[in-house]
Amino acid sequence: MIRSELNSGTKILETTLTGLITIPEIKRYYSSLIYNKALPSKLKVILNSVDAKYQFDDSDFVKISESVAEVLEHFDLFIEAIIESSPYETALAFMYEKKISIPKYRFKVFSTEDAALTWLSTF
């Protein structure tokens, strides 16, 4: 499951991933961002994925990046900080971070929320 809420103070979209996360679910999540008119044009997202298990692998990165590209048609900048704790999900997130190169998109992996928020504050 993926749930999001915009923090009114920080203007950061706080997203929590729990349980099994599939590619269709990720695509639905990114589509929902496009239609959410309350989000700022410089979108900062913190993804808390410590309680999630990915049901995909690195061969699915193209599908994820296609969804990100669609989001970027509606935002000036899209910045995602993901918090990971399990070895498999952390490895996938690092591989995605290294492989993805989309203008106006930044993605970085963290092990703590404080580190993720510090990085997001630099934008």
Side-chain angles (χ1 to χ4, degrees):
M1 179 185 323
I2 302 175
R3 292 188 183 189
S4 294
E5 184 176 338
L6 184 63
N7 182 309
S8 59
T10 64
K11 300 297 183 201
I12 293 173
L13 185 65
E14 297 172 349
T15 301
T16 304
L17 291 76
T18 55
L20 289 177
I21 304 299
T22 63
I23 290 298
E25 189 169 15
I26 291 170
K27 291 173 80 75
R28 280 192 302 276
Y29 165 70
Y30 283 128
S31 290
S32 74
L33 300 180
I34 294 169
Y35 299 106
N36 187 339
K37 301 302 178 196
L39 298 176
S41 62
K42 184 169 123 177
L43 182 58
K44 298 179 185 182
V45 179
I46 187 161
L47 299 163
N48 185 328
S49 185
V50 297
D51 293 323
K53 298 292 179 203
Y54 299 151
Q55 202 168 31
F56 59 87
D57 59 33
D58 61 327
S59 66
D60 293 308
F61 289 168
V62 170
K63 295 172 188 169
I64 296 170
S65 65
E66 288 170 350
S67 293
V68 168
E70 289 176 20
V71 170
L72 282 165
E73 293 176 15
H74 303 273
F75 294 90
D76 297 331
L77 187 60
F78 185 25
I79 308 147
E80 290 186 302
I82 190 164
I83 305 164
E84 296 288 1
S85 62
S86 75
Y88 178 75
E89 282 71 24
T90 300
L92 269 182
F94 272 121
M95 288 177 9
Y96 179 74
E97 178 184 334
K98 298 300 179 199
K99 288 186 178 186
I100 197 73
S101 179
I102 301 173
K104 303 189 314 178
Y105 178 63
R106 305 293 179 271
F107 180 91
K108 194 159 177 67
V109 183
F110 297 91
S111 60
T112 68
E113 183 176 357
D114 285 343
L117 289 170
T118 298
W119 180 73
L120 284 173
S121 73
T122 65
F123 293 93

